[in-house]
Amino acid sequence: MGGRPDEVRAPEDWLTEVEIERAGRFRFEADRASFVAAHLLVRLCAAAVLDVGPQELTLRQRCDLHGPGHGKPYIEEAPELGVSFSHTRGYVCAAAGPGKVGVDAEHVPPGPLDPLLADRVLTPRERAMVTGNDELIRHWTRKEALIKRGELTLDKLRAGGDDLGDRHLLEWSVGPDIRVAIITDAPARRVPIPG
């Protein structure tokens, strides 16, 4: 699922105290709205897979380094369900399904290829083939989805290509400047945000 933050019609009282506290730290309302919408949307995705009410689900994140509210997300009531979400200003997306799930959404920078980002993100082979920011961000979203699955790390981006093996990829564009990638263990399909 993906869309504008205002398309996610769910009450903020579904959020945990940790999520509310983190949402309150955003300097700009647009960024806060995207954060909140993504956290609500992942509950809607998980509820659709589990066939339960989204208000019954508690989203948690675990990170040994940064503590609660950071790191890999999971649904407390169904920790075996793979969930992931992403937000960028003005767009949110989320996914849920069996096995590992990773999703990322990014804005495509305007202008010519950003060589500094390309050199940080792409393998030498990828770098030789990428000529514009749209292709660069396509690789970036795939790699970020792999990071969220726990299969790649930020410090290994240049070493790890986005070869998917037997994983499933679902990609789409939103307008001229947002790219989305979802990588799952099982075939995935894009569904609209419930209205």
Short mmCIF file of all heavy atoms in Angstrom, two decimals, residues 46 49-50 52 56-62 72-84 96-101:
data_model
loop_
_atom_site.label_atom_id
_atom_site.label_comp_id
_atom_site.label_asym_id
_atom_site.label_seq_id
_atom_site.Cartn_x
_atom_site.Cartn_y
_atom_site.Cartn_z
N ALA A 46 -0.87 -5.05 7.87
CA ALA A 46 -0.81 -6.27 8.69
C ALA A 46 -2.21 -6.78 9.00
O ALA A 46 -2.46 -7.98 8.95
CB ALA A 46 -0.04 -5.98 9.98
N VAL A 49 -3.64 -8.75 6.10
CA VAL A 49 -3.05 -10.09 5.98
C VAL A 49 -3.56 -11.01 7.08
O VAL A 49 -3.87 -12.17 6.84
CB VAL A 49 -1.50 -10.00 6.02
CG1 VAL A 49 -0.87 -11.39 6.10
CG2 VAL A 49 -0.97 -9.25 4.80
N LEU A 50 -3.66 -10.49 8.29
CA LEU A 50 -4.06 -11.30 9.44
C LEU A 50 -5.57 -11.44 9.59
O LEU A 50 -6.04 -12.22 10.41
CB LEU A 50 -3.48 -10.69 10.72
CG LEU A 50 -1.96 -10.65 10.82
CD1 LEU A 50 -1.52 -9.77 11.99
CD2 LEU A 50 -1.38 -12.05 10.94
N VAL A 52 -7.71 -9.22 10.88
CA VAL A 52 -8.12 -8.70 12.18
C VAL A 52 -8.29 -7.19 12.06
O VAL A 52 -7.90 -6.58 11.06
CB VAL A 52 -7.08 -9.02 13.29
CG1 VAL A 52 -6.89 -10.53 13.44
CG2 VAL A 52 -5.75 -8.34 13.03
N GLU A 56 -6.35 -3.56 16.82
CA GLU A 56 -5.93 -4.64 17.71
C GLU A 56 -4.42 -4.89 17.66
O GLU A 56 -3.91 -5.70 18.43
CB GLU A 56 -6.65 -5.94 17.33
CG GLU A 56 -8.16 -5.88 17.43
CD GLU A 56 -8.82 -7.13 16.88
OE1 GLU A 56 -8.25 -8.22 17.01
OE2 GLU A 56 -9.92 -6.99 16.31
N LEU A 57 -3.71 -4.22 16.74
CA LEU A 57 -2.30 -4.51 16.50
C LEU A 57 -1.39 -3.44 17.10
O LEU A 57 -1.67 -2.25 17.01
CB LEU A 57 -2.04 -4.62 15.00
CG LEU A 57 -2.87 -5.69 14.28
CD1 LEU A 57 -2.56 -5.68 12.79
CD2 LEU A 57 -2.62 -7.06 14.89
N THR A 58 -0.30 -3.90 17.67
CA THR A 58 0.69 -3.02 18.27
C THR A 58 1.98 -3.12 17.46
O THR A 58 2.56 -4.20 17.34
CB THR A 58 0.99 -3.43 19.73
OG1 THR A 58 -0.25 -3.56 20.43
CG2 THR A 58 1.89 -2.42 20.41
N LEU A 59 2.41 -1.99 16.91
CA LEU A 59 3.66 -1.95 16.16
C LEU A 59 4.81 -1.68 17.13
O LEU A 59 4.75 -0.74 17.94
CB LEU A 59 3.61 -0.85 15.10
CG LEU A 59 4.88 -0.68 14.27
CD1 LEU A 59 5.14 -1.92 13.40
CD2 LEU A 59 4.77 0.57 13.39
N ARG A 60 5.82 -2.50 17.05
CA ARG A 60 7.03 -2.32 17.86
C ARG A 60 8.23 -2.29 16.92
O ARG A 60 8.16 -2.81 15.80
CB ARG A 60 7.21 -3.46 18.86
CG ARG A 60 6.07 -3.66 19.82
CD ARG A 60 6.10 -2.65 20.93
NE ARG A 60 5.07 -2.97 21.91
CZ ARG A 60 4.55 -2.09 22.73
NH1 ARG A 60 4.95 -0.85 22.70
NH2 ARG A 60 3.62 -2.46 23.58
N GLN A 61 9.31 -1.72 17.40
CA GLN A 61 10.58 -1.77 16.69
C GLN A 61 11.65 -2.12 17.70
O GLN A 61 11.57 -1.71 18.86
CB GLN A 61 10.89 -0.42 16.04
CG GLN A 61 10.01 -0.13 14.84
CD GLN A 61 10.31 1.23 14.25
OE1 GLN A 61 9.68 2.21 14.64
NE2 GLN A 61 11.25 1.28 13.34
N ARG A 62 12.65 -2.87 17.24
CA ARG A 62 13.72 -3.26 18.15
C ARG A 62 15.07 -2.90 17.53
O ARG A 62 15.31 -3.10 16.35
CB ARG A 62 13.65 -4.74 18.48
CG ARG A 62 13.77 -5.63 17.26
CD ARG A 62 13.75 -7.11 17.64
NE ARG A 62 13.45 -7.91 16.48
CZ ARG A 62 12.33 -8.57 16.29
NH1 ARG A 62 11.41 -8.56 17.19
NH2 ARG A 62 12.14 -9.27 15.19
N LYS A 72 14.22 -2.74 13.30
CA LYS A 72 13.28 -3.59 12.55
C LYS A 72 11.90 -3.61 13.20
O LYS A 72 11.76 -3.92 14.38
CB LYS A 72 13.85 -5.00 12.48
CG LYS A 72 13.07 -5.93 11.59
CD LYS A 72 13.78 -7.27 11.50
CE LYS A 72 12.94 -8.26 10.75
NZ LYS A 72 13.19 -8.31 9.36
N PRO A 73 10.86 -3.29 12.40
CA PRO A 73 9.51 -3.30 12.97
C PRO A 73 8.92 -4.71 13.02
O PRO A 73 9.30 -5.58 12.25
CB PRO A 73 8.73 -2.43 11.99
CG PRO A 73 9.42 -2.61 10.68
CD PRO A 73 10.88 -2.81 11.02
N TYR A 74 8.00 -4.90 13.96
CA TYR A 74 7.25 -6.14 14.03
C TYR A 74 5.91 -5.86 14.71
O TYR A 74 5.74 -4.86 15.40
CB TYR A 74 8.03 -7.24 14.77
CG TYR A 74 8.29 -6.95 16.23
CD1 TYR A 74 7.48 -7.50 17.22
CD2 TYR A 74 9.35 -6.14 16.62
CE1 TYR A 74 7.72 -7.23 18.56
CE2 TYR A 74 9.60 -5.87 17.96
CZ TYR A 74 8.78 -6.42 18.92
OH TYR A 74 9.01 -6.15 20.25
N ILE A 75 4.98 -6.73 14.47
CA ILE A 75 3.67 -6.64 15.10
C ILE A 75 3.71 -7.53 16.34
O ILE A 75 3.96 -8.73 16.26
CB ILE A 75 2.55 -7.10 14.13
CG1 ILE A 75 2.50 -6.20 12.89
CG2 ILE A 75 1.19 -7.13 14.85
CD1 ILE A 75 2.17 -4.74 13.15
N GLU A 76 3.49 -6.92 17.49
CA GLU A 76 3.60 -7.64 18.76
C GLU A 76 2.71 -8.87 18.81
O GLU A 76 3.10 -9.92 19.31
CB GLU A 76 3.25 -6.68 19.90
CG GLU A 76 3.48 -7.24 21.28
CD GLU A 76 3.29 -6.18 22.33
OE1 GLU A 76 2.12 -5.76 22.55
OE2 GLU A 76 4.29 -5.77 22.94
N GLU A 77 1.51 -8.77 18.26
CA GLU A 77 0.56 -9.87 18.30
C GLU A 77 0.84 -10.94 17.24
O GLU A 77 0.23 -12.02 17.29
CB GLU A 77 -0.87 -9.33 18.10
CG GLU A 77 -1.35 -8.41 19.21
CD GLU A 77 -0.80 -6.98 19.12
OE1 GLU A 77 -0.16 -6.62 18.12
OE2 GLU A 77 -1.01 -6.21 20.07
N ALA A 78 1.72 -10.66 16.29
CA ALA A 78 2.07 -11.62 15.22
C ALA A 78 3.52 -11.40 14.81
O ALA A 78 3.81 -10.97 13.69
CB ALA A 78 1.13 -11.45 14.03
N PRO A 79 4.47 -11.69 15.70
CA PRO A 79 5.87 -11.37 15.41
C PRO A 79 6.46 -12.13 14.23
O PRO A 79 7.47 -11.71 13.66
CB PRO A 79 6.60 -11.73 16.71
CG PRO A 79 5.67 -12.64 17.45
CD PRO A 79 4.28 -12.29 17.01
N GLU A 80 5.81 -13.21 13.80
CA GLU A 80 6.32 -13.96 12.65
C GLU A 80 5.95 -13.31 11.32
O GLU A 80 6.53 -13.64 10.28
CB GLU A 80 5.78 -15.40 12.68
CG GLU A 80 4.29 -15.54 12.34
CD GLU A 80 3.30 -15.03 13.41
OE1 GLU A 80 3.69 -14.77 14.56
OE2 GLU A 80 2.12 -14.89 13.06
N LEU A 81 5.03 -12.37 11.33
CA LEU A 81 4.62 -11.68 10.10
C LEU A 81 5.67 -10.65 9.72
O LEU A 81 6.09 -9.84 10.54
CB LEU A 81 3.27 -10.97 10.33
CG LEU A 81 2.71 -10.22 9.12
CD1 LEU A 81 2.26 -11.20 8.04
CD2 LEU A 81 1.55 -9.33 9.56
N GLY A 82 6.11 -10.68 8.47
CA GLY A 82 7.05 -9.67 8.00
C GLY A 82 6.33 -8.36 7.73
O GLY A 82 5.28 -8.35 7.07
N VAL A 83 6.84 -7.26 8.27
CA VAL A 83 6.28 -5.93 8.01
C VAL A 83 7.40 -4.94 7.75
O VAL A 83 8.52 -5.08 8.26
CB VAL A 83 5.39 -5.42 9.18
CG1 VAL A 83 4.17 -6.29 9.37
CG2 VAL A 83 6.17 -5.29 10.47
N SER A 84 7.09 -3.94 6.95
CA SER A 84 8.04 -2.87 6.66
C SER A 84 7.25 -1.64 6.24
O SER A 84 6.13 -1.76 5.72
CB SER A 84 9.00 -3.31 5.55
OG SER A 84 10.00 -2.33 5.33
N ALA A 96 3.20 -5.99 4.22
CA ALA A 96 3.16 -7.07 5.21
C ALA A 96 2.98 -8.38 4.47
O ALA A 96 2.29 -8.43 3.45
CB ALA A 96 2.02 -6.85 6.20
N GLY A 97 3.60 -9.44 4.98
CA GLY A 97 3.45 -10.74 4.36
C GLY A 97 4.32 -11.77 5.05
O GLY A 97 5.07 -11.46 5.97
N PRO A 98 4.25 -13.00 4.57
CA PRO A 98 5.06 -14.06 5.17
C PRO A 98 6.53 -13.85 4.87
O PRO A 98 6.90 -13.31 3.83
CB PRO A 98 4.53 -15.33 4.49
CG PRO A 98 3.93 -14.85 3.20
CD PRO A 98 3.42 -13.46 3.46
N GLY A 99 7.37 -14.25 5.80
CA GLY A 99 8.81 -14.13 5.60
C GLY A 99 9.31 -12.72 5.78
O GLY A 99 8.69 -11.89 6.45
N LYS A 100 10.43 -12.43 5.14
CA LYS A 100 11.03 -11.11 5.24
C LYS A 100 10.38 -10.15 4.25
O LYS A 100 10.08 -10.52 3.13
CB LYS A 100 12.53 -11.18 4.96
CG LYS A 100 13.31 -11.96 5.98
CD LYS A 100 14.78 -11.98 5.61
CE LYS A 100 15.58 -12.79 6.60
NZ LYS A 100 17.01 -12.85 6.20
N VAL A 101 10.21 -8.90 4.69
CA VAL A 101 9.62 -7.86 3.87
C VAL A 101 10.46 -6.60 4.03
O VAL A 101 10.84 -6.24 5.14
CB VAL A 101 8.17 -7.57 4.31
CG1 VAL A 101 7.57 -6.41 3.54
CG2 VAL A 101 7.30 -8.81 4.16
#
